[in-house]
Amino acid sequence: MPIVKVAWLLGLLSTLPWSEAAMAQAATTPARPPNIVFVLIDDAGFSDFGAYGGEIATPNIDAIARSGVRFTNFHTASTCEASRVMLHSGVDNHRAGAGTLQVVIANNQKGKPGYEGHLSDQAHSLGQLLRDGGYATYFAGKWNIGNGLERSPGARGWDRYIGLEQTGADNYEAKVYAPFNLEPVWWEDGRRAQLPADFFSTRHYVDKMIRYVDEGRAGGKPFFSLISLQAVHSPLQAPQADIEKYLQRYEAGWDRVRAERYQRQVQMGLMPAGLQLPQAPNRRSWDSLSDAQKRAYAKRMAVYAGMLDNADQHIGRFREHLRKTGELDNTVFIVMSDNGADAYDLANLNLPFKVWYRLNYALSYDTLGAKGSYVHYGQEWAEVSNTPLALFKGSSAEGGMRVPFVISYPGRLPAGGVSHKFAYATDFLPTVLEIAGIALPGDEYGGKKPHRPTGTSLLPHLQGKTAHIHAASEAIGFESTGGQALFMGEHKLMRNAAPLGDGQWHLHRLAQDPAEATDLMHKEPELAKTMLAEIERYNALNGVVLPEPGYNAFRQLLTNNWEILLRQLGAIVTTALALLLGLVYLLARWWRRRSGRHASA
C-alpha cells in the first residue's frame, strides 16, 4: 500500500476511541481544576503552523499539537467579529450580536437585532462564566466584540485585561491600520491604556499575561488566560531578525510552496492524496511576475512568516514561564485561528485608499515589516496559507471557515492525536466549561435569560468516549457578509455572493472533497432539498437578514467608511492646502519686493 495511503488511514484511525493504555494514562485527576490558556491567532491559514504542513518555524505550537490533539475539520465563522462572539458565547453569531462584519454591514442590516456589532447582552460571556465558576480570568490582546469601557473585557467578566477594541491596529504604535476608525483604543483594567515607547503588540500582550498570572497567584485560583494576538492580521510587521530568516525561503514562489505544503499534509495524514488544489479568481502564476515583483512578493511572505514565527516564540516564552513556576503540567493549552487567511490588500483597494496608505505608511521594499510600514502578502500567498482549501477569509468556502485547532491537556488526553471529525466554534465554550468542571448554565443566569449555548463539548470525543462530535442528522448553519453555509454529517451546502462567488448553492462532501471541487447539487437532489430547507430554518431561528440583491462587500466597505476616510484625508488635505497657500503668499510677497526693487532702479 502506498505510504501516503497508510498515513491517511492512520490519521482516520486516530478519530476512533483511544487505546486502553492511553486512557489509563489519562485517568489521572489533577489536584485542582486545570489552568486554561487559549491563544487566538488572527487570520492564520489552515496550513501555516508546522503541525499542519507549513514551513514556518512554529516549534512551540507544534509541541502543543504533539502533546495533544490536532483537529483537521474545525470550523469558525469566516470573519473575526462573528468568530469571536461565538467563541465567547457558545451561540450563533447573530444571536450573539455580530451577524456580520461591521465595516461591511449592508444597509438593510443596520439597526436590526443580531447586528449590533458587539457581544450581545442576551448572550453569555466566557469570562463571566469562568469567573463565576471560581477561575481568575485574564485577557490580553484584540477584543473586537464591543467598544467603550462599558463593553470592554472588564464588563464581561475578565478580572485583569488589556484589550484593543477595534478589529486591528499598528503593531508598533497607537495608530489605525486602515481608515475605519479615527484612532485605535486600548482599555486596561478600567481605564484607557497608554502604550510604552518600545511597544510591539505580541510581546506586550504576553508580558501583560505573565504579569497577571504572577500577581494573581496569591489568590490560589486556577486561571483562564485568553491571549488574543494581532498577529498575523495586517499590517504585517515583525522584528527584522525574524524577517531575515525567510528572505530567501520564498524566492521559489507560491506555486511551489503550496505544493510542498500539501505534500507534507498528505504524508502527515491530515489530508487525502490526489486533491486538485483550487485556484481563486484572478490568480496569477509565479512565473508570470517580473523579477522585481517576485522579489517584492517573496519579501512580503517573509514578513508574514517572521510575524508568525515571532508569535510562536512568545507563546513558547509564556509556556516556559509556566514551567518555571510549576504550572505547566496542570495547564490546558488551546491554539487556533479566528478564521481563514486574509487575501485583501487594502492599500490597493481603490484610489482613496491608495492615497490614505501612502500618506500614513511607508510602502517601499526596504521598509516592509518595519515600524512605520504597511504590507499585506496578497491573494496568492493567502491561498498558500489555506492549503489545500478554497478561497479566503470573508467567504463561506473552507478557506474562510476551516482553521487549525490544537488542544493539549496533560494527563487527561493522549499525545499525538488527530481528529478528522467536524467541530464548530460554538463547541468551544461547552468544551472549556467541561474541562473547568463548570456546569452549563440553565435558562436563567444572573437574573436574565440569555441564549443557552448550543454547541457540544469536544471532551467526550477527545477522550475516546464518542466517535463523533455531532450526529449525522444535526444541521449547523452559518451566515455572514453574504456568505452562507450549512453543515450536516459529511456534507456542506454553501454559497457566496460576488465577488467571491456566483450567488448559487453548491453541495460538497467534505471528507473526500475538502477542496470543494465537486458539486453534488444535481447528483444528490434529495439531500440538497433537505439541506436547503434546513438553511431556511436556520435563517428564521437566528434572525438572519440577508444583504439586499446586488450586495458587494468591497463596495459596501467604501460606503460605510467614506465619512471617516474623508475626515482623515480632509485633515491632511486641509493642512496641505494651508501650506500651499502659505507658500503662494510668500512667493507673492517675494515677487512684489523684487518687482519694487527693479522699479526703483
Side-chain angles (χ1 to χ4, degrees), residues 486 488 490-495 504-510 513 516-529 531-532:
L486 186 102
M488 195 165 73
E490 293 186 345
H491 288 85
K492 175 186 176 184
L493 181 74
M494 69 98 168
R495 70 174 175 182
Q504 302 300 309
W505 289 108
H506 302 275
L507 178 63
H508 305 283
R509 190 174 185 181
L510 294 181
D513 185 25
E516 297 172 298
T518 303
D519 189 357
L520 303 175
M521 281 296 288
H522 299 299
K523 294 181 180 180
E524 299 191 41
E526 290 302 314
L527 177 61
K529 182 179 178 180
M531 295 183 73
L532 284 169

Side-chain angles (χ1 to χ4, degrees), residues 166 168-170 174-184 356 361 568:
Q166 290 104 344
D170 192 275
K175 179 178 177 180
V176 296
Y177 81 97
F180 303 153
N181 310 99
L182 294 176
E183 62 173 346
W356 187 90
Y361 278 99
Q568 291 182 343

Side-chain angles (χ1 to χ4, degrees), residues 196-399:
D198 64 345
F199 175 76
F200 183 72
S201 64
T202 302
R203 182 184 67 242
H204 189 68
Y205 297 148
V206 173
D207 284 347
K208 289 290 183 182
M209 191 57 69
I210 289 173
R211 177 181 173 185
Y212 298 157
V213 169
D214 284 352
E215 292 180 353
R217 188 171 292 115
K221 295 180 179 180
F223 61 82
F224 180 79
S225 295
L226 203 172
I227 305 173
S228 179
L229 299 179
Q230 290 176 225
V232 279
H233 192 288
S234 59
L236 304 177
Q237 296 167 320
Q240 187 63 30
D242 295 318
I243 296 171
E244 288 177 354
K245 297 178 189 178
Y246 299 95
L247 284 178
Q248 295 181 336
R249 177 64 184 83
Y250 296 108
E251 292 176 352
W254 45 62
D255 300 306
R256 180 172 171 181
V257 175
R258 191 183 189 206
E260 291 171 348
R261 286 195 182 191
Y262 173 57
Q263 186 60 33
R264 283 193 292 270
Q265 291 174 334
V266 173
Q267 293 170 349
M268 297 164 80
L270 303 179
M271 282 288 147
L275 296 180
Q276 184 69 37
L277 297 182
Q279 295 195 359
N282 303 315
R283 185 185 188 277
R284 298 165 295 178
S285 71
W286 184 257
D287 290 339
S288 71
L289 303 184
S290 68
D291 289 343
Q293 288 175 317
K294 288 178 180 179
R295 181 170 178 263
Y297 273 105
K299 185 171 183 181
R300 289 186 182 201
M301 184 61 190
V303 176
Y304 179 91
M307 193 178 194
L308 183 57
D309 182 320
N310 178 267
D312 181 83
Q313 294 172 44
H314 287 288
I315 293 169
R317 181 165 66 91
F318 186 49
R319 283 173 60 81
E320 177 62 16
H321 183 77
L322 295 181
R323 186 191 66 78
K324 289 180 178 178
T325 57
E327 297 283 1
L328 186 62
D329 288 341
N330 192 33
T331 300
V332 175
F333 261 84
I334 304 171
V335 183
M336 65 175 287
S337 179
D338 63 342
N339 46 243
D342 178 12
Y344 316 114
D345 186 357
L346 298 176
N348 289 302
L349 183 61
N350 65 7
L351 182 58
F353 271 64
K354 288 180 180 179
V355 171
W356 187 90
Y357 278 100
R358 280 152 182 78
L359 288 172
N360 287 277
Y361 278 99
L363 304 176
S364 68
Y365 175 89
D366 291 336
T367 64
L368 294 181
K371 184 176 182 178
S373 74
Y374 179 91
V375 59
H376 185 278
Y377 67 166
Q379 172 181 302
E380 290 83 5
W381 285 124
E383 258 190 340
V384 173
S385 287
N386 281 338
T387 304
L389 310 174
L391 294 181
F392 328 99
K393 171 182 178 178
S395 79
S396 61
E398 290 295 276

Side-chain angles (χ1 to χ4, degrees), residues 462-581:
L462 290 167
Q463 294 178 332
K465 299 174 183 177
T466 60
H468 298 271
I469 300 161
H470 296 277
S473 60
E474 182 179 357
I476 298 174
F478 167 74
E479 187 278 331
S480 185
T481 62
Q484 292 182 278
L486 186 102
F487 301 90
M488 195 165 73
E490 293 186 345
H491 288 85
K492 175 186 176 184
L493 181 74
M494 69 98 168
R495 70 174 175 182
N496 284 301
L500 296 175
D502 58 9
Q504 302 300 309
W505 289 108
H506 302 275
L507 178 63
H508 305 283
R509 190 174 185 181
L510 294 181
Q512 288 77 27
D513 185 25
E516 297 172 298
T518 303
D519 189 357
L520 303 175
M521 281 296 288
H522 299 299
K523 294 181 180 180
E524 299 191 41
E526 290 302 314
L527 177 61
K529 182 179 178 180
T530 298
M531 295 183 73
L532 284 169
E534 288 289 350
I535 198 76
E536 291 300 323
R537 181 172 175 268
Y538 161 80
N539 289 344
L541 284 174
N542 292 282
V544 173
V545 179
L546 296 175
E548 58 273 299
Y551 169 84
N552 180 296
F554 296 120
R555 288 199 300 267
Q556 196 68 38
L557 177 73
L558 300 175
T559 300
N560 292 343
N561 296 281
W562 191 246
E563 180 182 350
I564 293 174
L565 180 61
L566 282 178
R567 288 178 65 180
Q568 291 182 343
L569 290 179
I572 295 169
V573 171
T574 299
T575 301
L577 284 175
L579 290 172
L580 181 61
L581 290 173

Side-chain angles (χ1 to χ4, degrees), residues 81-136:
E81 289 174 21
S83 285
R84 289 161 195 268
V85 294
M86 288 200 290
L87 293 168
H88 281 263
S89 70
V91 296
D92 180 77
N93 55 301
H94 300 83
R95 293 191 176 198
T100 193
L101 190 65
Q102 286 296 298
V103 294
V104 296
I105 187 170
N107 295 331
N108 66 324
Q109 295 170 334
K110 295 176 181 178
K112 298 293 178 63
Y115 292 84
E116 296 87 355
H118 58 76
L119 182 60
S120 172
D121 296 332
Q122 299 302 116
H124 283 290
S125 166
L126 185 61
Q128 189 70 52
L129 292 171
L130 267 292
R131 185 166 72 179
D132 290 350
Y135 272 71

